[in-house]
Amino acid sequence: MTVYGYFRSKDELLDAVIDAGAERIALEPPAGSWKAQLRELLLSLRGTLVKHPGVIELRFKRPIVSPGALELTEAAMQILREAGFSSRTAARAYRILFIYTFGFSAFGPGEQSRADSERTEAAIGALPPDRYPALSAAADEAAAAMADQTLFEFGLNLLLDSVESLQADGSRDR
């Protein structure tokens, strides 16, 4: 109960924990294209989330909107706005990238990825091939994807390329 001498509520305490963790995310992106800057920002976020999975669990319960956490959003929005995207497109694109990063951190390959891969391979192998022909034919690939530590960056690059395509076709405000 001593901790509540410093914080008025549990939410205030949790926000302080989030803000302390947010300080570990590299907010000063390296020089380079907006894509490279945003990519590094999201890789830093993912690294922090993997090290601190409790943040992911907290986000399942409530939005994370403390000032420290919103510094990440501010940095991403600045990158996208400076690249010429409208506020609407920048906010929507970043939100998708943020959700992807959180979701992948929650459900992507982790420390148990080899065991997950083996369980997946066994489960797919037990399926009747006549009912699951595509999955049965790709059992090795599906199981390997469960342990693929490069999958986050693969997906991130696809998403960033999609955002870039908005810029390329001149339709920045979708």
Side-chain angles (χ1 to χ4, degrees), residues 7 9-20 58 62 66:
F7 300 98
S9 67
K10 181 179 177 182
D11 282 339
E12 192 175 289
L13 169 63
L14 292 172
D15 284 344
V17 170
I18 294 296
D19 287 350
L58 178 60
R62 68 184 188 92
S66 66

Side-chain angles (χ1 to χ4, degrees), residues 83-106:
F85 292 96
S86 70
S87 292
R88 180 174 188 261
T89 299
R92 294 174 83 200
Y94 175 67
R95 185 71 183 149
I96 289 167
L97 292 162
F98 179 83
I99 290 168
Y100 170 74
T101 303
F102 253 78
F104 198 94
S105 298

Side-chain angles (χ1 to χ4, degrees), residues 114-135:
R114 177 58 26 216
D116 291 345
S117 178
E118 291 169 3
R119 279 193 294 276
T120 301
E121 193 168 1
I124 293 171
L127 295 173
D130 58 326
R131 185 166 175 197
Y132 299 91
L135 194 50

Side-chain angles (χ1 to χ4, degrees), residues 21-28 40-41 44-46 48-49 72:
E23 292 175 4
R24 298 172 189 221
I25 299 171
L27 293 178
E28 294 299 323
E40 288 304 312
L41 190 69
S44 182
L45 171 60
R46 170 145 163 75
T48 299
L49 292 173
L72 176 72

